[in-house]
Amino acid sequence: MTTERKSFEKRPTEAGPDENQQSGRRKRSRLGALKPEGVSFGGGYEPVPTHMPKPDENASSKKHAERVDQLRERSIPPQPSKQKLSDEQCSNPKVSAPNEPPSSVRGQPATFTPCRKMDGDRSEAGRNDVNGTRLVWLRAVPRVDQLASLEDLDQRGFAMKDILKLAGKRASASFEPAAEFAAMQEVERLPLAYAFRTSKRVSVDLLEGLHDKADRLRVRSDDAMLRGQFEPLFWKEIDRVVDDLKNYAPV
C-alpha cells in the first residue's frame, strides 16, 4: 500500500508538460521586466541617466543681465557732463554789454521809416510797378435781368460763358480809368460763378488819387476803386453781344 501511494504521489514543485502549458497560458508577464529606462508607470517622467554636466542656472541669469545692460547702453545716448559753476560765477554772472551805436550816430535823434501798406489785392500790384503803372485785377458780374437772354442764346447753341468772355474782352479793351471815383451801382447781380475777371495796368498816381478820395484808411482794394467804372461798361457790352447774336442764332 505504501509503495503504490508513493508512485501516484507527485512533488508539488514538479509539473507535467500539460500542466506547464496550461499554467503558462494563464500566467501574465510582469510589467517590471518590460519597463524601459526613463519610463515609470506610476507617475512622472524619470530622466535618462547621462554623463553631461547639469547647466548652471546662476551663470545663465548673469549672461542675460549682461546682455540687457549692453542693449540699454546702446539705446541711451551719452549725456554731456554738466560742469559745475564756481560760487563766484553763480553769485556774479557775466552780462554782455549792449551794442553801442557808433560815435557818428550817438548825437542824432532816432528816425522812423513807415513801412508801405500791402493789402490783399495791392500786394501783388505793389511789387509789379512798371513805368509808374500797377497791375490791377478787375471783376464784373452780370445783372439778374440779363440772365433770361443769356439762357435763350445758350439753348440756341451759344455758350453763356463764351458770351460773357467776349463781352468782357470788349469792355477791357475800351476801358479807360477816370480820375473821378464812381461808386458801385446797387443792382441785383448774379452769383460770382458768372463773374468775368481780367487784369489791367493802371497809373499809380490815378489809383492813389482814387484811394485818397474814397479810401482814406487804405482798407479797400484797387478793384473796388475801379469796379464802379468798369462794371457798367461790361453790362453794356453784354447787351450789345446779345443783340448781335439774336439775328444770326438758329431758331
Side-chain angles (χ1 to χ4, degrees):
M1 292 298 289
T2 59
T3 57
E4 291 178 358
R5 289 179 180 178
K6 291 180 181 179
S7 61
F8 285 103
E9 289 178 358
K10 297 180 182 179
R11 296 177 180 178
T13 57
E14 295 178 358
D18 295 338
E19 291 179 359
N20 292 332
Q21 291 178 0
Q22 293 178 1
S23 62
R25 292 176 184 175
R26 292 177 182 177
K27 290 180 179 180
R28 296 178 181 177
S29 59
R30 292 180 299 172
L31 296 177
L34 300 177
K35 177 182 176 182
E37 294 182 355
V39 179
S40 62
F41 295 98
Y45 172 76
E46 296 180 0
V48 179
T50 177
H51 299 287
M52 297 296 292
K54 294 183 179 180
D56 189 2
E57 296 180 357
N58 295 329
S60 61
S61 60
K62 289 180 181 179
K63 291 182 179 180
H64 177 70
E66 291 177 357
R67 182 63 177 170
V68 171
D69 294 339
Q70 292 177 1
L71 294 176
R72 287 180 179 176
E73 290 178 359
R74 293 179 182 177
S75 59
I76 300 174
Q79 298 181 358
S81 60
K82 297 182 179 179
Q83 298 179 356
K84 296 182 178 179
L85 298 177
S86 61
D87 297 339
E88 296 180 357
Q89 292 179 355
C90 294
S91 59
N92 299 321
K94 186 178 180 180
V95 180
S96 60
N99 296 329
E100 295 182 357
S103 58
S104 60
V105 189
R106 289 178 186 174
Q108 299 179 3
T111 58
F112 174 74
T113 304
C115 60
R116 187 174 184 180
K117 181 176 176 57
M118 308 290 282
D119 54 4
D121 294 337
R122 300 179 61 190
S123 60
E124 182 69 19
R127 291 192 296 267
N128 292 281
D129 291 349
V130 177
N131 297 328
T133 61
R134 189 157 63 206
L135 185 66
V136 181
W137 292 95
L138 300 174
R139 179 179 58 180
V141 184
R143 300 192 309 267
V144 174
D145 58 352
Q146 294 176 328
L147 181 61
S149 57
L150 292 173
E151 289 179 347
D152 182 47
L153 291 177
D154 187 73
Q155 294 177 359
R156 297 179 178 221
F158 295 97
M160 187 183 305
K161 61 179 181 179
D162 294 339
I163 297 175
L164 297 178
K165 185 179 294 185
L166 178 60
K169 286 184 176 182
R170 291 182 178 179
S172 179
S174 60
F175 176 57
E176 292 295 337
E180 295 296 330
F181 175 75
M184 293 175 57
Q185 299 183 15
E186 295 182 0
V187 297
E188 192 175 0
R189 295 174 175 80
L190 293 174
L192 290 177
Y194 298 90
F196 171 79
R197 295 176 175 85
T198 186
S199 60
K200 192 177 184 64
R201 287 201 167 273
V202 184
S203 172
V204 176
D205 296 336
L206 189 144
L207 291 173
E208 293 299 330
L210 293 175
H211 281 286
D212 292 338
K213 295 178 181 178
D215 183 30
R216 298 178 61 183
L217 298 179
R218 296 296 195 278
V219 295
R220 304 173 64 183
S221 63
D222 291 339
D223 173 50
M225 299 294 100
L226 299 175
R227 189 173 177 180
Q229 303 180 29
F230 178 70
E231 207 167 34
L233 184 60
F234 175 67
W235 296 338
K236 183 179 179 180
E237 293 296 337
I238 290 176
D239 296 337
R240 184 178 299 178
V241 173
V242 169
D243 293 339
D244 294 341
L245 294 178
K246 279 182 179 179
N247 299 328
Y248 300 98
V251 180

